[in-house]
Amino acid sequence: RLWTSPFQIITPSRWMADQVSESRLMASFPLEIIPHPLNGGEWQDMENVTARRLLGLPADGHLVAFGSAGGITDPLKGFDLLIQAMNQVQFKQSHPGIHIVTFGGLPERLPLLPSVPVIHLGHISNPDHLLAVYSAADVLAVPSRMETFGLVAAEALACGTPAVAFDQTGLADIITHQRTGYLAHPLDTADYARGIKWALNATDKEKAEIKKACQTQATTLWHPTTIAASYTSVYQSILSKQRLP
């Protein structure tokens, strides 16, 4: 009753746009998709050895990172799905020295007993330390059940680290399958495990190609200048329509 006419809606992902399009209230509203920006000067890769030393992480072995401000028990972030995926495959035997590294939130009791050791770094407020987490990891696990965008995954890509997610919600816009990460079938933990293995088993040449693709995608799609230009275009379009007689 308060809206006399449709107003402009901007969403950060195709999934969010689909939700708007399916709304009985807003389906006819003007809609644009503009992702969130990343500060290109802030998110740059750090040498892997340096990053691990800074954080006191193991110098050898693979590291699978997982981050959630709400902690590992937040059901939407899907840490339980990551553990299920890791438990399905004998990662500890095939990848000696492998660890899951979690950050964000407070240390909590694990919802499931993982088959690989877990290192919890806690809440990280220092931007350099967060950059180090992404750079220290071989892969970022983002097994979320729902994400409007997927900012953590985008930050990891900007640091050259691939991400593994389910091919659903906002994360489907962040990751290019088997180029900047892996998009597993929705909630399929066996396929999610294959995604982790895809990242860990890449050759040095493949890892270099993945890293370059990740950083190129971040610079191309989420640079502040690019996002600002998209918003400017929307505002100019709205203003031009308002000037019409």
Side-chain angles (χ1 to χ4, degrees):
R1 293 195 303 269
L2 298 178
W3 297 333
T4 57
S5 62
F7 54 80
Q8 178 70 53
I9 296 177
I10 296 176
T11 70
S13 65
R14 290 177 297 167
W15 176 73
M16 283 293 293
D18 289 342
Q19 307 312 300
V20 173
S21 298
E22 294 172 4
S23 167
R24 295 178 62 183
L25 180 63
M26 299 181 177
S28 63
F29 284 26
L31 175 65
E32 292 288 339
I33 302 172
I34 302 178
H36 296 315
L38 289 181
N39 186 336
E42 180 177 344
W43 301 110
Q44 298 179 6
D45 66 293
M46 180 186 297
E47 186 179 358
N48 182 272
V49 174
T50 303
R52 293 190 180 203
R53 185 184 303 119
L54 176 64
L55 299 171
L57 296 172
D60 300 316
H62 289 110
L63 299 182
V64 179
F66 170 90
S68 169
I72 59 176
T73 56
D74 182 346
L76 291 180
K77 298 302 181 181
F79 185 75
D80 59 313
L81 298 174
L82 172 61
I83 296 302
Q84 290 178 35
M86 299 294 286
N87 285 353
Q88 288 185 28
V89 180
Q90 298 298 317
F91 279 99
K92 194 172 183 180
Q93 285 69 33
S94 60
H95 300 81
I98 188 172
H99 288 76
I100 296 174
V101 178
T102 70
F103 60 98
L106 298 173
E108 300 169 274
R109 187 173 182 176
L110 296 175
L112 292 171
L113 183 63
S115 60
V116 300
V118 177
I119 299 172
H120 187 70
L121 298 177
H123 176 69
I124 297 178
S125 57
N126 186 319
D128 289 337
H129 285 188
L130 187 55
L131 185 154
V133 173
Y134 296 134
S135 299
D138 295 285
V139 60
L140 176 76
V142 195
S144 302
R145 290 178 168 86
M146 184 184 296
E147 290 284 354
T148 57
F149 178 63
L151 190 60
V152 171
E155 291 171 350
L157 265 59
C159 294
T161 300
V164 178
F166 293 113
D167 190 8
Q168 60 182 16
T169 69
L171 287 162
D173 286 0
I174 303 296
I175 298 167
T176 303
H177 185 57
Q178 292 189 321
R179 180 169 171 79
T180 62
Y182 191 99
L183 288 171
H185 300 305
L187 306 183
D188 183 339
T189 55
D191 195 29
Y192 199 90
R194 284 191 284 272
I196 298 291
K197 291 177 67 177
W198 170 83
L200 300 185
N201 294 341
T203 65
D204 289 342
K205 181 176 181 294
E206 290 170 339
K207 288 179 180 178
E209 292 172 348
I210 292 170
K211 179 177 181 177
K212 182 178 180 180
C214 288
Q215 293 177 318
T216 299
Q217 180 172 314
T219 302
T220 303
L221 298 183
W222 309 312
H223 193 280
T225 301
T226 303
I227 304 305
S230 297
Y231 271 100
T232 298
S233 177
V234 171
Y235 278 110
Q236 289 176 338
S237 176
I238 294 172
L239 291 174
S240 65
K241 293 174 182 177
Q242 290 179 344
R243 295 192 189 103
L244 294 176

